[in-house]
Amino acid sequence: MKRVEGKVALVTGGASGIGLSAATLMAKEGAKVVIADFNVEGAKEAAENIKKQGGEATAVFLDAGKEDSIKAAVDFTVENYGTITVLFNNVGSTNLQKDLDVVNIDLEEWDRLMNINTKSVLLGSRFAIPHMIKAGGGSIINTASMAAFAGDSLRSAYGASKAAVVNLTRYIAAQYGKENIRCNAVAPGLILTPAAKQSMPEAVLDIFSKFNALPYHGEADDIGYTVLFLASDESKFITGQTIQVEGGHYMGNPSIADFNEFMEQSRSK
Ligand SMILES: NC(=O)c1ccc[n+]([C@@H]2O[C@H](COP(=O)([O-])OP(=O)(O)OC[C@H]3O[C@@H](n4cnc5c(N)ncnc54)[C@H](O)[C@@H]3O)[C@@H](O)[C@H]2O)c1
């Protein structure tokens, strides 16, 4: 038996990066997968690739900023595959130009990010949960971020919106646990998705390397495998949790890299 055999999964933002990895891995492990994305051509291509590898997938347009569109993606999943038992609320947005410090942040951008990053999780869950109850249970997985757990100089809205995702995850888990619905989140650190690779200057990647405990960067599959686990019954006693997948970047004394440098310099004197 494959790890998510018989499950029906809707993956938002599934045409690229983390969503694409999770969709591909879940299909490989037996789930029927709906890939929902703004980039519907990319979603169709991803579904075709999954089919070529012997999996089952289809694509649908999604604008995660719009309630009607989220409802339509859930309805499409149920019409196509009879139910929905896994929901990966993965779409998220960020904007380094407008999402600034608290004094200077563009307030329209604050509202946009709260809508796309947080409200889309609420709405996806709201529309999927009645179907999951009918099916006897389900697993909801949300993409948070390590930005939920630390303050930063910029991206106030992104951090606040992802922190809200972490606690909304607990609320959903608390409210629907008795209906056999689990809800967990994954909090990625820097993950070298195609978009991240393109936008990150080498110097920024070096900063991440310096503070990671591990000697490499995260990849989309590092999150994809965590989502697969949370979607599967292997994690059946885990709910309300946010799993941090971040290479040990945030777990230690923040000054450890500088202390190591200091010790090295002292030794070489
Ligand atoms: N990559 C990282 O380093 C990282 C770190 C922490 C958290 N995250 C979170 O992971 C999630 C996925 O990020 P990624 O790095 O895989 O990004 P990505 O850009 O590779 O993929 C995102 C996908 O979502 C789609 N999308 C974007 N906005 C949409 C919308 N409004 N409606 C429908 N589809 C939309 C895009 O078309 C794209 O296919 C996001 O929630 C992001 O905040 C990423």
Side-chain angles (χ1 to χ4, degrees), residues 12-19 36-39 62-65 90-93 116-117 143-146 158 162 187-196:
T12 76
S16 165
I18 289 168
D37 205 291
F38 219 57
N39 170 10
L62 170 73
D63 179 348
N90 167 64
V91 163
S93 187
I116 289 181
N117 294 352
T143 303
S145 165
M146 287 310 295
Y158 185 78
K162 292 295 191 177
L190 173 68
I191 300 297
L192 286 187
T193 54

Side-chain angles (χ1 to χ4, degrees), residues 200-221:
M200 290 275 171
E202 205 57 39
V204 174
L205 293 182
D206 289 347
I207 296 172
F208 273 92
S209 290
K210 179 176 169 186
F211 287 99
N212 281 355
L214 294 170
Y216 41 80
H217 291 295
E219 295 171 353
D221 279 356

Side-chain angles (χ1 to χ4, degrees), residues 139 172 227 264:
S139 175
I172 296 168
V227 173
E264 199 124 303

